[in-house]
Amino acid sequence: MTQLNLDQGQIDRARESARRIAHRVFDDMSQYTTTTVERATLRLMGVDGVDDNQIPLPNRLVAHLQEQKLLQHGAAAIVAGAMDEYGLSAQQVAEAVAAGKLVLGRPKNDKAARQSAEAIAAKMCEHIATQRTVRAQQIEKVGEARTPWLYLIVATGNIYEDIVQARAAAEQGADIVAVIRSTGQSLLDYVPYGATTEGFGGTYATQENFRLMRAALDEVGAKIGRYIRLTNYCSGLCMPEIAAMGAMERLDMMLNDSMYGIIFRDINMKRTFIDQFFSRMVNAYAGIIINTGEDNYLTTADAFDAAHTVLASQLINEQFAWISGLKPDQMGLGHAFEINPDLENGFLWEVAHAQLVRQVFPEACLKYMPPTKHMTGNIFKGHVQDALFNVVSTLTGQNIHLLGMMTEAIHTPFIQDRFLAIQNAKYVFGTMRDLHEEVEFRAGGRIESRAQQVLAETVGILGEIEKIGLPAAIGRGTFADISRTMDGGKGLDGVIAKSPDYYNPFPDLMLAGAN
Amino acid sequence: MTQQITENWVKPYGDTMNDGRVQLSFTLPVALDENAKEAARQLALEMGLDEPAVVHAEDMGQGFSFYVLYGQCKHRVDLSRIKVAKPEFETLDKDAINALIAEKMGRKMVVLGACIETDAHTVGIDAIMNMKGYNGHKGLESYHEVRAINMGAQVDSEDLVARAIEEQADVILVSQVVTQKNIHLDNLTRLSDLLEAEGIRDRVILVVGGPRISHELAKELGYDAGFGTKSYAEDVASFAIHEWTKRHAA
């Protein structure tokens, strides 16, 4: 399809604003670590498991370091020092601390402890790099679908039931399976352990659940001749730990937004900015595609009026992603088909928004979300709404296509809801495969003018955000009409100022080694 | 003496009065074959459909199959005997509600809203509470005689109750969207138990809303009212001032 005529100067100005906005936040936040960053570091050093009260050992160990007033130095060197001193593994150190048999202190030889920590970290990086290679080999061997990839959610609460549904979905045509998390997990300040069979509105993200689903999808992928990507939710109070677990178990995608938790889960701003940096760094190194959450803005704010806030947020998310080492093809920038169906020419505006995003981020792995807000109990109309969404997706060359469910407003999907959603998308994608090459946008027409208007508004809003800074802009309710403050929200107590000798081996290893 | 009620029987309509035509679709956890198709047809018979026809059957893989059926519903119901519980009040517009609050209460009505416990879906509570409202219906924040406090998502019942006491809430508005495995029933019961335990249940007007909530369900759970889809701020506010006035009439 011919491109919309957009002012490249405006795009550059918007991107430059976003770059300065993100870097200012990053610079301000570099002086802090968080409890979950340190727990993720310990997980990557091999600490896992729970105590008798089901409290994860990484939590026990970090709590111990806090009690001993040591966490500001970074957990890695202290634990590595204890490993050297007592001849233990990281796991054994954690078990001894949890059993009350060991009290940690500063390493006797700090330099040696750092070297040990770095060696352990390097070994984990090797494992993660191997997982990347395995992914590449599998894709090479069994092949992969062409885009838009069909992204489908399973959410039974029981990982074994999820597996049944995921396998069926893959066989029916899904390219990506996301296991939605149990409602409320984002606010847990720990990651549950082991295979789980109870959840509400979803299934707990645990390392064992990741492993089980990965194995099932590998198996079904080999059978049907298509690599099936696995997605989970790297958000909430344990972002870095989920990233670590996903990297170890070869997940392929993670929901991982720089601001979603602040806005929609009322998680503290500092906590989120610090955690998103570390988690994205891990995702970048593991070759994981992140998905950002701008679509959510449009469930609270109006999709037509707030279109520019989506683009502004995507540009900011892109800059945070660069800082963490993510490459454009790992940036699943999110947007959505959420304009009120009663709005005349609403479909034109959806095309304008989707094509605008496509052109501003030509190399990104865009994630396009289906209608949710204006879905009703009328499943027949819902199926049509989803079909129109499918049209825009294929016409504007989106990459990750979350399947719309006609029962969106009613329940978590039944197996036939997914089946019909896949049929709908495949029909539209097939019958319109090359339509985009056959049609042109009328120069100066409605769609082009609308895209230009949204772009101009984006430049404006980013200029304002740059003036006052991102935290103040969020405070003013710039995104999703929701206002948050720097010291409000959950998880601030887990933000710790680093001491000058703070040490963590992973940033050097991972930022240098991202693809 | 028994009262004479005019019977008013009703059954589904396809293209002829009382033909009873209905459609349904479902999945069977077996691979598609002729036996499975016959099983689908017999299931429809068991459901009370005469002359059921499987108009579409398709294998879904992994041992599942999908069916679309039509049939003629055997049953009918008497409309004249149906009485559905609904909150009895007249829905007023924003100005009238404001005027009524000013007249009856002589102060602002305090409305506290939240999605409780694990529920993270704020679409419903935001639609009722926030300035912008939904579908052109402004939310309670825009009512100058209402002090609307939206606590947002995943609010512990304890926190909600504590805030209600602190703010001397007249109305507590709870939204529950997630209903998988009936978690909303547990959440709602827990809140109402807590209010009882704190001794403030009678002091507040307790309202629940959500796509799967009916007034009948709300009453069963000990709530004063329940609002389902297509309810707006003015519906909730009209009920609240109506209920407040009723309680303070004595």
Side-chain angles (χ1 to χ4, degrees), chain B residues 58-128:
Chain B
E58 201 169 347
D59 196 78
M60 301 164 80
Q62 296 282 325
F64 291 98
S65 46
F66 177 65
Y67 304 86
V68 180
L69 295 89
Y70 279 82
Q72 298 166 23
C73 181
K74 280 198 257 212
H75 306 290
R76 54 175 197 163
V77 295
D78 183 2
L79 263 175
S80 67
R81 290 170 187 275
I82 291 175
K83 192 121 188 90
V84 174
K86 56 177 185 236
E88 294 196 354
F89 64 94
E90 186 192 351
T91 297
L92 306 170
D93 67 14
K94 186 168 136 181
D95 290 342
I97 292 167
N98 277 326
L100 203 56
I101 294 173
E103 180 202 325
K104 300 285 185 187
M105 297 182 74
R107 61 172 173 83
K108 285 192 178 190
M109 173 187 269
V110 180
V111 180
L112 187 59
C115 293
I116 55 167
E117 304 297 339
T118 49
D119 204 328
H121 299 74
T122 60
V123 180
I125 196 80
D126 289 345
I128 304 295

Side-chain angles (χ1 to χ4, degrees), chain A residues 229-288:
Chain A
R229 286 180 166 81
L230 174 57
T231 303
N232 212 284
Y233 294 74
C234 192
S235 58
L237 285 168
C238 295
M239 268 180 171
E241 292 173 89
I242 302 270
M245 291 161 28
M248 290 187 264
E249 303 300 338
R250 188 166 39 87
L251 267 74
D252 304 290
M253 289 191 190
M254 283 285 187
L255 281 275
N256 191 213
D257 192 277
S258 60
M259 298 187 280
Y260 174 83
I262 303 169
I263 296 167
F264 292 97
R265 292 291 174 266
D266 197 14
I267 293 173
N268 176 260
M269 230 183 256
K270 283 185 191 167
R271 171 79 175 246
T272 301
F273 285 134
I274 302 157
D275 290 349
Q276 66 86 26
F277 165 72
F278 192 92
S279 61
R280 285 180 167 197
M281 174 189 81
V282 174
N283 286 331
Y285 186 80
I288 285 171

Side-chain angles (χ1 to χ4, degrees), chain A residues 125-126 128-129 132 280-287 330 509-510 513-514:
Chain A
C125 286
E126 237 172 77
I128 295 171
R132 282 180 63 161
R280 285 180 167 197
M281 174 189 81
V282 174
N283 286 331
Y285 186 80
Q330 288 178 287
L509 289 166
M510 287 184 161

Side-chain angles (χ1 to χ4, degrees), chain A residues 370-402:
Chain A
T372 59
K373 185 181 184 177
H374 298 284
M375 294 293 278
T376 65
N378 183 348
I379 56 172
F380 305 103
K381 181 178 178 188
H383 212 42
V384 177
Q385 289 170 271
D386 286 335
L388 293 177
F389 159 70
N390 295 338
V391 171
V392 178
S393 189
T394 184
L395 193 63
T396 61
Q398 305 296 314
N399 305 87
I400 303 168
H401 180 90
L402 197 136

Side-chain angles (χ1 to χ4, degrees), chain A residues 262-375:
Chain A
I262 303 169
I263 296 167
F264 292 97
R265 292 291 174 266
D266 197 14
I267 293 173
N268 176 260
M269 230 183 256
K270 283 185 191 167
R271 171 79 175 246
T272 301
F273 285 134
I274 302 157
D275 290 349
Q276 66 86 26
F277 165 72
F278 192 92
S279 61
R280 285 180 167 197
M281 174 189 81
V282 174
N283 286 331
Y285 186 80
I288 285 171
I289 297 168
I290 63 159
N291 292 186
T292 64
E294 281 83 0
D295 50 288
N296 293 284
Y297 299 166
L298 306 180
T299 59
T300 50
D302 182 82
F304 184 79
D305 300 337
H308 63 297
T309 67
V310 169
L311 183 56
S313 172
Q314 288 171 327
L315 285 158
I316 293 170
N317 253 317
E318 177 191 44
Q319 293 302 321
F320 278 124
W322 280 119
I323 293 173
S324 283
L326 287 155
K327 297 291 180 282
D329 62 0
Q330 288 178 287
M331 296 180 193
L333 300 170
H335 59 131
F337 184 100
E338 288 281 21
I339 294 175
N340 190 331
D342 294 337
L343 184 67
E344 191 169 70
N345 280 330
F347 182 82
L348 275 63
W349 316 142
E350 295 287 12
V351 172
H353 297 173
Q355 180 65 20
L356 171 63
V357 172
R358 180 69 282 168
Q359 285 184 226
V360 173
F361 306 99
E363 294 171 62
C365 192
L366 296 177
K367 179 173 190 194
Y368 198 33
M369 300 288 284
T372 59
K373 185 181 184 177
H374 298 284
M375 294 293 278

